Amino acid sequence: MAKKKQRFYAVWQGLRPGVYSDWDECRRQVQGVQGAQYKAFDSLAEAEQALRLPYSAFATQRPHSEAPRQRPAQSALYVDDNGLTAIRPGINNPPLLDALAVDAACSGNPGVMEYQGVYVATRTRVFHYRAERGTNNIGEFLAIVHGLSYMKKHGLNQIIYSDSANAMLWVRQKTCKSKLPLDSRTAELWDYVHRAENWLRQNRYTTEVRKWDTENWGEIPADFGRK
């Protein structure tokens, strides 16, 4: 009798996301979990590589037994006075794991600024940028635009979480309204900002940007942990 081929299982959303070499162990991570996200692969390397990517890249090949993707209850969402998507206070609605979270940090304001995009399910860094002089608000703005550009470039149908309502509003208005002075130390950053503004004005995108509910969910996964 031929020996059964070894399979490896990547779990994006379950009790404990990760790679498992045993189906029974994988099943324990996903059974009964609403919106469980997992897939079998022929090798450990394939499974580990897959877990570094968004689940949506493999969703078209979802196993027959897998539960549907988790979706937030629509009644929990509303559009606030600024036209931004938000979650109604008091609604116990967990964040989507198959999503991108963005955040910025600044050592002084202005000071050394950086931002990053992180895949929520695995906390894997997707992109990162650093400037020698900037502000936190500029970083939050650029992080969202970078995320929108990344989604469009790779054809991904995910949402973006940001914990900055101010940056979300700037993105909606397609203008960075920072008062950071333009000088020799900030010229390169301002050139980057203007390119981001032009991208917003010249491109159409369907990616939805939602406010991260810090009060109920804790710090956004892209947080730099410097508070």
Side-chain angles (χ1 to χ4, degrees), residues 99-170:
L100 181 73
V102 298
D103 199 20
C106 197
S107 300
N109 209 22
V112 176
M113 180 275 291
E114 58 185 323
Y115 70 74
Q116 63 181 353
V118 170
Y119 183 52
V120 176
T122 61
R123 301 302 199 265
T124 303
R125 176 184 279 179
V126 178
F127 55 75
H128 175 260
Y129 176 84
R130 174 187 171 99
E132 291 305 312
R133 191 167 182 81
T135 67
N136 195 70
N137 281 338
I138 289 179
E140 299 275 12
F141 169 78
L142 290 174
I144 297 175
V145 180
H146 196 147
L148 292 171
S149 174
Y150 179 88
M151 294 292 185
K152 183 168 185 178
K153 178 180 179 180
H154 295 280
L156 299 174
N157 184 29
Q158 298 171 332
I159 66 168
I160 295 175
Y161 284 117
S162 169
D163 62 6
S164 173
N166 184 64
M168 292 170 66
L169 185 60
W170 286 1

Side-chain angles (χ1 to χ4, degrees), residues 177-198:
K177 296 185 177 181
S178 173
K179 296 181 180 179
L180 179 71
L182 173 60
D183 55 34
S184 59
R185 295 177 297 175
T186 63
E188 183 176 348
L189 177 62
W190 270 113
D191 177 66
Y192 191 35
V193 168
H194 293 151
R195 284 188 283 132
E197 292 173 329
N198 288 334

Side-chain angles (χ1 to χ4, degrees), residues 34 70-78 87 91-94 210:
Q34 183 181 7
Q70 179 185 5
R71 293 292 183 183
Q74 291 303 307
S75 60
L77 301 179
Y78 76 106
I87 296 176
I91 296 293
N92 184 19
N93 193 55
R210 292 185 191 169

